[in-house]
Amino acid sequence: RCLSDWSSDVCSSDLEGGEFALLTRNSKLLAMTRALACELHADSGDMRMFLDNVEACGFMIGPTQYARDGGSMVFLAKRSD
């Protein structure tokens, strides 16, 4: 089967910065996922822009937790439809 034939209820990501390259606006993985749990690292990219991109893909950002030093964050998101 092709990857486009698959769907995923949840994608959990802790790629130590790799999320910025993997989960872009045109990511097939993000397109086939209904919910997302993700850790981001500020030294790997713009965390606010990443969240904006996730929202642009049809997700609602849920709970977020920032590290005390602001260097990382975790968040949950789910499809709004």
Side-chain angles (χ1 to χ4, degrees):
R1 291 173 47 167
C2 294
L3 182 61
S4 61
D5 294 337
W6 292 86
S7 67
S8 173
D9 287 334
V10 178
C11 176
S12 175
S13 174
D14 181 9
L15 300 173
E16 303 305 319
E19 294 84 2
F20 292 94
L22 181 65
L23 301 175
T24 61
R25 280 191 189 205
N26 53 357
S27 165
K28 289 181 182 178
L29 181 59
L30 199 55
M32 64 187 216
T33 299
R34 294 183 41 200
L36 184 61
C38 194
E39 179 183 22
L40 300 176
H41 298 274
D43 61 354
S44 299
D46 184 325
M47 294 189 296
R48 181 70 250 168
M49 185 179 293
F50 186 91
L51 293 177
D52 290 345
N53 286 339
V54 169
E55 287 180 319
C57 290
F59 287 85
M60 291 181 357
I61 304 297
T64 59
Q65 179 70 47
Y66 287 85
R68 291 179 200 244
D69 66 2
S72 64
M73 70 172 297
V74 292
F75 74 92
L76 301 175
K78 66 178 184 173
R79 289 237 172 248
S80 54
D81 46 24

